[in-house]
Each structure stands twice: as C-alpha cells, then as structure tokens.
C-alpha cells in the first residue's frame, strides 16, 4: 500500500482511476481537449469545471514545493480517478473513463489530508460501446480478481490461526504467502471503502491524529509485532481476527467491482508504481523484508491485466505491445535471480539485496513502467 489515502471507490471509477498515463495526453470524447490542473501548495486550479462524460484526459502540473496527488472523487469521497507522487515541477496525465455526474477534484499537497477541492460536473448520456475483445478482457479480469480474493482467504486464515495459537515462527512463515492475492489485485482491492487502510496501511501511512496503538490494524501492524517486536500477545490475536473480518468483507465485495479496460490498464501501471514507491525501496515490508514476494505479485497482476488487453493493444499499437512483451520478460528474468525455486515464492530477503542490485531492479521497473503508462490511452483509442 502507498502512503495514507482517501477512502476508495468502486472501480467504475476506478475505471478512471488507478491511473496515470504519463506523457500520453488524449482528446476527451466529445469534448474540446484535456482538463488542465495547476496544483500548488495552496491551490488547485482547473481549466474547466464542466466537461463531457466519457474518455477524459486530465493534465496535472505541480507548481508547488511539495509532492502532490490528484483525485477525482464522487461526492461521498469514493475515488473515480487518481494520480499520486507528482513531484514539484513535474507533470502527469491521467487517461480515464468518467460517467456523467457530479464530482470533486482534490489536489493533495504533501499527499496528506482531504486536499484542496473543486467541484466539477461530467455531462452527457450513455457511455460509448466497447468492442467484443474488450468486453471479453473485462469478463476474464473480473474472474481473475475474484479468484485471487477467494484464494487469499485460506492463506490469510492460516496466518491468522498461527498468530492466534501464539506460534511466532509459523506466523512469520505464513505472512508473505497470505498477501500474494491482495498484491496481485490491489488496485481493485483499494476500490472498496476503507478496506485497504484497514488491512494494508503502514504506520507512516496513518493520517494526522490517528493513534498507532488504537488505529493501526492489518498485515503491517502484525508484521511489526512478529518480525521486529518478536511477540504475540492478546492484542495481536485480536488483530488477526480483525484482519480476517476485513479480508472476508473484501472477498465478498470483489464481484461488485465496476471494471473497465481503462481501469485495468491504469491498475497495471499503478501496480508498477507500487513497486517503485514501496518495494524497491524496502519500505513496504520493512520488518519482514519479504518485499520481493510483493514485488513479484505486483508484476504478475500487472502482466495479467496487460495480457488480457493485449489483443486490442497489439492491434492499436504493435510497437508498444512488442515493447511491453520485451520488458515484462526482462523483469521476470531479473526477479527469477532472487528465487529459491523456479515456481515458488521463496525469495531472497530484501535486506540482503545490495544497492547495486536494487538499482538494477529499479531500472527494470522504470523500463517497464514507461511503456505501461501508455496502455490506457492505447486501449481507449
């Protein structure tokens, strides 16, 4: 999980969201071009507050001194679209599908709080029809995310049972495996209310005013207890039960997610952004050092979305598809160097991976992330 975030939406909007197609601006359907957002430390200025619904391109420029984020939100704060980690003096473009309705744009300087907000309206009627190939991709991806949630529950239950039994070593052994399905499909998982911050927030991701002793729950709270504090007490056993309650909630809701080709493509890019911001740096699994398990799962989830969209992507941009094939293969070959066996998830502890090796991994993420950032615009043609 990334640092603290707003409450998340059902993937209709995630359509729009989970986004970030860097450097790939596109005309919005039926409209007069992109929506330009000038974000600063004190303002969130929009070039327009009303635009045609459909495929929309949002161009964000950070004119402030802090790293910022842009969210497109429903009135109840569910996320429609987002772009995180926009550095000072940089730009980012979001390609998204947004249905007709009222929304808010929120710029979040420092990536904390509720953001500086502006009300907007998307106008128009029914969404444009999709091709049969894209409908098939969405249907298969929906099956995939449900299967990942279904497969996560027994693995998480094994982890929770070990915690509740007070078996420190068994709990530590079960920890990483319990997270694989979540990490493969995290963009969709994040689209349901506050489930993501309940189960996957790090201590430094808590909002101002939250008390780690009371408000920090989920995998990473237990990770710290097991790997850093080396203890299991009554609090940890209660947290294990709460984790299962929250994951069961997620598993039941996955089938309700609104998924589109754009959200799949943007979600794939977001998974690579997760790798770049948390796994390569070693911040995500700072106590267990199982970052490479998460890393691999993120890559697998991104590749699954791409493979399902590939028939259309290859037709619309053969060169991009060829480059994505090449970079996914290179990334998987590199990750295989850190596996104890070819098909398993026993990876090298990340605290033993040197700086030169981390740079090699980071460079591979960048090489894959650049063409992957173009996928949403390509399938939206």
């Amino acid at each position: 999980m990334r640092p603290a975030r707003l409450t998340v939406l059902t993937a209709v909007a995630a359509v729009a969201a989970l986004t970030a197609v860097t450097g790939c601006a596109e005309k919005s359907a039926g409209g007069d071009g992109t929506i330009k957002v000038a974000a600063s430390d004190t303002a969130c200025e929009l070039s327009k507050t009303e635009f045609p619904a459909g495929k929309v391109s949002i161009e964000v420029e950070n004119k402030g001194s802090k790293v910022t984020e842009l969210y497109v939100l429903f009135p109840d704060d569910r996320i429609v679209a987002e772009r995180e980690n926009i550095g000072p003096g940089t730009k980012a473009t979001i390609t998204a599908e947004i249905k007709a309705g009222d929304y808010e744009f929120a710029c979040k300087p420092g990536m904390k709080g509720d953001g500086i907000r502006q009300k907007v309206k998307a106008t128009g009627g029914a969404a444009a029809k999709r091709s049969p190939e894209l409908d098939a991709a969405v249907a298969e991806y929906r099956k995939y995310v449900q299967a990942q949630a279904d497969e996560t529950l027994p693995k998480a239950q094994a982890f929770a049972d070990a915690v509740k039994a007070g078996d420190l070593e068994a709990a530590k052994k079960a920890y990483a495996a319990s997270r694989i399905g979540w990490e493969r499909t995290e963009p969709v998982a994040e689209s349901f209310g506050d489930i993501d911050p309940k189960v996957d927030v790090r201590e430094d991701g808590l909002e101002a005013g939250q008390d780690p002793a009371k408000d920090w729950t989920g995998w990473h709270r237990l990770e710290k207890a097991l790997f850093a504090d080396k203890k299991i007490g009554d609090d940890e056993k209660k947290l294990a039960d709460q984790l299962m309650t929250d994951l069961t909630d997620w598993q039941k809701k996955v089938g309700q997610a609104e998924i589109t080709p754009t959200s799949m493509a943007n979600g794939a890019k977001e998974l690579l952004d997760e790798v770049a911001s948390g796994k390569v740096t070693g911040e995500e699994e700072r106590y267990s050092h199982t970052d490479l398990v998460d890393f691999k799962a993120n890559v697998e989830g991104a590749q699954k979305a791409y493979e399902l969209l590939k028939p259309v992507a290859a037709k619309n941009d053969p060169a991009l598809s060829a480059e994505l094939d090449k970079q996914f293969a290179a990334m998987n070959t590199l990750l295989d160097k850190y596996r104890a066996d070819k098909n398993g998830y026993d990876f090298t502890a990340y605290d033993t991976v040197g700086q030169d090796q981390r740079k090699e991994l980071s460079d591979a993420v960048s090489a894959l992330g650049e063409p992957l950032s173009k996928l949403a615009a390509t399938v939206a043609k």
Side-chain angles (χ1 to χ4, degrees):
M1 158 153 186
R2 34 175 110 66
R5 43 183 307 113
L6 296 163
T7 351
V8 199
L9 147 71
T10 98
V12 75
V15 156
L18 315 177
T19 309
V21 186
T22 307
C24 242
E26 137 185 358
K27 296 272 185 183
S28 60
D32 56 355
T34 63
I35 302 166
K36 296 183 182 296
V37 181
S40 69
D41 297 345
T42 57
C44 188
E45 299 175 355
L46 312 183
S47 62
K48 62 183 75 175
T49 56
E50 189 168 308
F51 52 87
K55 296 169 185 174
V56 177
S57 183
I58 305 168
E59 191 175 278
V60 188
E61 181 177 5
N62 184 359
K63 297 184 175 182
S65 62
K66 302 176 182 177
V67 176
T68 196
E69 301 172 329
L70 176 74
Y71 288 81
V72 182
L73 302 165
F74 280 119
D76 61 1
D77 271 7
R78 291 174 299 145
I79 296 173
V80 178
E82 61 177 301
R83 176 56 161 139
E84 301 176 335
N85 295 308
I86 306 170
T90 64
K91 297 180 180 181
T93 299
I94 301 170
T95 300
E97 300 167 42
I98 302 180
K99 292 184 175 181
D102 294 320
Y103 302 91
E104 287 186 330
F105 277 35
C107 300
K108 291 182 64 181
M111 302 195 297
K112 291 283 186 179
D114 291 335
I116 303 164
R117 302 195 176 199
Q118 299 284 355
K119 294 184 182 297
V120 300
K121 179 185 287 289
T123 61
K129 291 184 178 180
R130 290 198 297 257
S131 69
E133 293 91 343
L134 289 177
D135 280 338
V138 168
E140 287 303 311
Y141 189 67
R142 184 179 297 282
K143 292 178 185 177
Y144 174 73
V145 296
Q146 183 67 65
Q148 292 305 307
D150 293 344
E151 292 168 15
T152 293
L153 281 193
K155 293 178 181 178
Q157 189 65 64
F159 170 63
D161 287 347
V163 172
K164 290 164 65 178
D167 191 334
L168 184 65
E169 292 306 314
K172 288 165 69 174
K173 186 175 181 180
Y175 170 75
S178 74
R179 292 175 49 74
I180 292 171
W182 174 275
E183 290 291 336
R184 285 173 176 159
T185 59
E186 191 166 1
V188 176
E190 289 172 343
S191 70
F192 300 105
D194 59 355
I195 294 176
D196 179 65
K198 282 182 179 179
V199 306
D200 198 34
V201 72
R202 303 193 303 259
E203 185 173 10
D204 58 344
L206 295 173
E207 291 284 2
Q210 287 188 304
D211 181 355
K214 298 178 181 179
D215 302 316
W216 187 21
T217 59
W219 270 305
H220 293 303
R221 173 65 183 84
L222 289 165
E223 179 204 7
K224 182 177 185 294
L226 299 173
F227 293 91
D229 302 334
K230 301 187 186 329
K231 72 177 184 71
I232 297 175
D234 290 342
D235 287 345
E236 285 71 35
K237 293 175 183 180
K238 291 177 183 177
L239 285 167
D241 278 333
Q242 184 62 51
L243 176 65
M244 289 310 303
T245 297
D246 294 332
L247 288 177
T248 300
D249 188 23
W250 161 58
Q251 183 257 356
K252 289 178 179 178
K253 289 181 176 179
V254 163
Q256 304 168 20
E258 184 88 26
I259 298 171
T260 70
T262 311
S263 73
M264 290 168 60
N266 287 329
K269 176 59 169 65
E270 184 182 341
L271 285 170
L272 261 289
D273 290 344
E274 288 272 329
V275 173
S277 64
K279 280 68 172 187
V280 168
T281 62
E283 294 175 70
E284 181 80 3
E285 305 290 357
R286 62 191 65 175
Y287 308 111
S288 65
H289 307 298
T290 56
D291 302 88
L292 287 172
V293 177
D294 291 1
F295 192 140
K296 179 63 176 178
N298 286 158
V299 171
E300 286 177 335
Q303 188 166 7
K304 180 67 175 181
Y306 162 62
E307 292 290 349
L308 291 173
L309 295 169
K310 183 177 174 180
V312 173
K315 184 189 303 181
N316 291 348
D317 192 337
L320 177 66
S321 184
E323 182 64 15
L324 283 168
D325 288 341
K326 173 184 172 182
Q327 295 302 335
F328 269 117
M331 174 63 75
N332 285 315
T333 297
L334 180 57
L335 284 172
D336 283 345
K337 292 169 53 177
Y338 299 94
R339 299 175 88 148
D341 60 273
K342 185 176 180 181
N343 298 312
Y345 270 81
D346 186 8
F347 282 84
T348 301
Y350 203 60
D351 58 338
T352 68
V353 177
Q355 289 304 314
D356 289 346
Q357 294 168 304
R358 292 188 183 201
K359 184 179 185 306
E360 183 182 28
L361 288 164
S362 179
D363 289 346
V365 171
S366 297
L368 174 56
E370 193 280 326
L372 195 58
S373 72
K374 300 175 183 177
L375 183 60
T378 299
V379 298
K381 287 181 179 178

